[in-house]
């Protein structure tokens, strides 16, 4: 399977980067092909230009799509699956990833009557968060995140879609170290069984 990984975290000194590394180790063991797009490393520009806004707002597929966006769209259509790896920042993905969807999910590619984006076999979101999923508030937040990411942004663009949360990873969480190793083993296993 050809897997395109969209990774979004501002620091490689993070638990999220370790999740990425362990997931990739698992993919390699199972002989999957993968391509990694690190949005921060690429310095991906998350903000719409006025021209991009006008193209989307008026559903005008005659206006140009920026080259960086075209490249990402091409990589998507060459892949069987997308995997997003990112942390939760205030009940949302980092702004760079939100902007990635706004810029890459263009009219004529991801939506519209002549959308050229292929339906993917699978989309997986590996999400790290500091909070504890046994708390009702966190459960509600995750349901809201799933509605946005899986329901709206992915929708029927994939045959299968799933969000997996790695919780209790805040640096001040009392049992972080135990959770850390357990979560990394889980990330590896998810990659291996992908």
């Amino acid at each position: 399977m050809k897997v395109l990984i969209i990774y979004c975290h501002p620091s490689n000194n993070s638990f999220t980067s370790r999740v990425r590394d362990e997931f990739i180790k698992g993919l390699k063991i199972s002989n999957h092909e993968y391509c990694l797009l690190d949005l921060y490393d690429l310095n991906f520009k998350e903000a719409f230009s006025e021209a991009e806004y006008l193209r989307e707002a008026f559903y005008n597929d005659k206006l140009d799509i920026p080259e960086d966006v075209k490249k990402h769209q091409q990589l998507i259509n060459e892949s069987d699956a997308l995997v997003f790896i990112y942390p939760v920042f205030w009940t949302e993905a980092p702004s760079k990833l939100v902007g990635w969807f706004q810029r890459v999910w263009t009219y004529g590619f991801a939506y519209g009557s002549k959308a050229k984006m292929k339906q993917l076999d699978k989309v997986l979101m590996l999400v790290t968060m500091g909070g504890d999923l046994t708390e009702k508030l966190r459960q509600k937040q995750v349901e809201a995140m799933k509605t946005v990411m899986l329901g709206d942004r992915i929708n029927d663009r994939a045959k299968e879609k799933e969000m997996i949360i790695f919780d209790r990873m805040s640096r001040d969480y009392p049992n972080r170290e135990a959770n850390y190793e357990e979560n990394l083993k889980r990330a590896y296993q998810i990659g291996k069984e992908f």
Side-chain angles (χ1 to χ4, degrees):
M1 184 177 281
K2 291 180 78 172
V3 182
L4 178 62
I5 301 169
I6 311 295
Y7 174 73
C8 189
H9 195 291
S11 174
N12 272 322
N13 182 14
S14 68
F15 172 71
T16 307
S17 70
R18 294 289 311 278
V19 166
R20 174 201 62 204
D21 295 346
E22 291 302 311
F23 175 76
I24 288 172
K25 282 182 194 173
L27 281 182
K28 287 179 179 178
I29 288 289
S30 295
N31 295 316
H32 291 298
E33 283 182 59
Y34 76 92
C35 173
L36 174 66
L37 293 178
D38 181 329
L39 298 184
Y40 278 90
D41 191 50
L42 292 169
N43 199 23
F44 183 81
K45 183 174 97 65
E46 65 268 28
F48 264 156
S49 65
E50 182 181 11
E52 286 173 286
Y53 165 76
L54 293 173
R55 184 183 190 287
E56 299 306 307
F58 293 97
Y59 306 111
N60 186 348
D61 59 3
K62 305 275 186 281
L63 295 176
D64 287 338
I65 294 173
E67 287 303 314
D68 63 333
V69 170
K70 282 184 193 175
K71 179 65 177 163
H72 289 218
Q73 291 175 343
Q74 178 186 342
L75 289 169
I76 290 166
N77 276 343
E78 291 171 355
S79 301
D80 302 307
L82 281 179
V83 176
F84 296 90
I85 304 174
Y86 63 92
V88 173
F89 291 162
W90 294 103
T91 319
E92 176 60 285
S95 59
K96 200 170 275 294
L97 182 55
V98 174
W100 183 89
F101 279 106
Q102 289 171 347
R103 292 190 65 224
V104 175
W105 263 208
T106 60
Y107 176 71
F109 177 72
Y111 69 101
S113 60
K114 298 177 187 171
K116 296 180 179 102
M117 180 178 168
K118 72 187 274 186
Q119 186 182 40
L120 297 155
D121 292 332
K122 193 186 274 192
V123 168
L124 175 63
M125 300 197 175
L126 301 178
V127 182
T128 62
M129 71 182 297
D132 187 336
L133 282 180
T134 63
E135 298 171 8
K136 291 265 188 240
L137 175 62
R138 300 297 181 197
Q139 293 167 14
K140 289 178 182 177
Q141 290 170 338
V142 168
E143 286 311 307
M145 291 187 302
K146 286 181 178 180
T147 297
V148 171
M149 292 301 264
L150 300 178
D152 180 40
R153 293 179 183 150
I154 302 305
N155 200 334
D156 61 358
R157 295 176 180 95
K159 295 171 192 167
E160 293 178 39
K161 55 192 173 188
E162 183 179 12
M163 179 182 284
I164 297 173
I165 307 291
F166 297 85
D167 70 330
R168 299 169 293 152
M169 292 317 305
S170 172
R171 283 187 168 75
D172 64 354
Y173 195 81
N175 297 321
R176 182 177 195 258
E177 292 309 313
N179 297 332
Y180 195 91
E181 293 308 319
E182 180 183 314
N183 278 327
L184 291 179
K185 286 178 190 169
R186 187 171 162 217
Y188 171 80
Q189 202 61 34
I190 292 165
K192 188 176 175 185
E193 295 171 1
F194 194 73

